[in-house]
Amino acid sequence: LVNFEVPFSPLHLNTSILPKTENYGFCVKKGNGDIVPISSVSIKNGTSVLIECGEVISEAVFVRYALDYDSLNLKGGATGNLFDSCKETVLINGIDKPMFYICPHFEISAYNGAV
């Protein structure tokens, strides 16, 4: 479970602005660099992301976001789909565009399900 400070809750996994990224951009890695399979990613209580892994983890791991997978075919880039629910817009060429706060790339350590 990864807890966030959310400017405008709830969080959501948005696939309408950016194409869906594998695991919505989340990756869990062991200290040796091996990737832990993820079985699901979901929003909890509007301010947390629950990542369920496909195996039991008994060691410290790193939770990474928007560092490993790319839905836009960027060279050396990566993407993710975690946004807040800001309702503000900006007018560009006569079209209202959303001003969501997009989650920045990160890597944090976790142990026993705690971040």
Side-chain angles (χ1 to χ4, degrees):
L1 187 67
V2 182
N3 298 306
F4 293 88
E5 290 184 27
V6 183
F8 298 92
S9 64
L11 288 172
H12 63 279
L13 299 167
N14 187 316
T15 57
S16 64
I17 293 175
L18 288 174
K20 184 178 185 287
T21 303
E22 184 173 340
N23 297 320
Y24 298 101
F26 287 93
C27 182
V28 177
K29 286 189 175 183
K30 297 178 183 178
N32 66 4
D34 288 349
I35 294 176
V36 177
I38 292 176
S39 54
S40 71
V41 175
S42 60
I43 304 298
K44 295 294 177 194
N45 303 319
T47 59
S48 300
V49 175
L50 177 63
I51 302 168
E52 296 187 56
C53 295
E55 66 182 53
V56 176
I57 302 170
S58 60
E59 62 189 272
V61 294
F62 295 95
V63 176
R64 296 166 53 90
Y65 175 74
L67 295 170
D68 298 281
Y69 307 116
D70 173 17
S71 67
L72 298 173
N73 298 316
L74 302 170
K75 292 185 182 203
T79 59
N81 299 103
L82 186 61
F83 291 69
D84 79 347
S85 292
C86 181
K87 304 243 185 274
E88 294 179 29
T89 60
V90 62
L91 189 64
I92 300 175
N93 291 332
I95 301 170
D96 277 326
K97 300 286 187 174
M99 295 287 291
F100 299 117
Y101 287 79
I102 301 169
C103 183
H105 307 277
F106 68 81
E107 177 181 88
I108 53 177
S109 60
Y111 188 74
N112 282 342
V115 174

